[in-house]
Amino acid sequence: MEKIYWHNDRFMIYQVKQLLDDHQIPNFIKNEFAIGATGELSPMDIMPEVWLTDSEWRPKAKKLIAEFDQRRAIIASPWKCVKCGETNEANFGLCWQCGSHNNGELT
Ligand SMILES: [Zn+2]
């Protein structure tokens, strides 16, 4: 068994798991429900993790995850509000300044 991916955002973990599932790479999630249940531990100690059942899948899984991260980096670019010109982080669907919708224009 081998840890292949970890992230403090469980949504990312599910996406990576789905990606590996789609390619028939045996995997499972560890610490899935750890966040929020522990309190005292630092986030590093309780990050959800994706593990490979068999480390022989490692090269293929690494490659898929690298491609996934690349695609994500493009999607996660900040965007500029056309209404007020404010730059917003990618995870905001609405402009935090004026409340306009993200029209998809990247900065
Ligand atoms: Zn705005």
Side-chain angles (χ1 to χ4, degrees), residues 20-84:
L20 297 179
D21 284 347
D22 287 348
H23 291 81
Q24 280 89 43
I25 298 175
N27 69 93
F28 61 95
I29 297 177
K30 258 179 128 172
N31 299 340
E32 185 176 358
F33 300 109
I35 284 180
T38 46
E40 296 290 301
L41 289 172
S42 83
M44 288 304 289
D45 291 332
I46 53 167
M47 268 201 203
E49 299 162 351
V50 180
W51 284 66
L52 297 178
T53 311
D54 194 328
S55 48
E56 77 177 69
W57 289 99
R58 187 172 183 273
K60 195 175 179 190
K62 278 274 179 203
K63 188 169 173 285
L64 288 168
I65 291 169
E67 288 167 2
F68 168 77
D69 274 340
Q70 240 170 29
R71 281 200 304 272
R72 209 184 118 250
I74 295 165
I75 296 165
S77 303
W79 56 281
K80 198 171 182 177
C81 177
V82 280
K83 203 171 167 193
C84 72

Side-chain angles (χ1 to χ4, degrees), residues 79-88 94-101:
W79 56 281
K80 198 171 182 177
C81 177
V82 280
K83 203 171 167 193
C84 72
E86 190 61 48
T87 301
N88 294 281
L94 295 172
C95 175
W96 68 269
Q97 182 82 319
C98 72
S100 288
H101 267 283

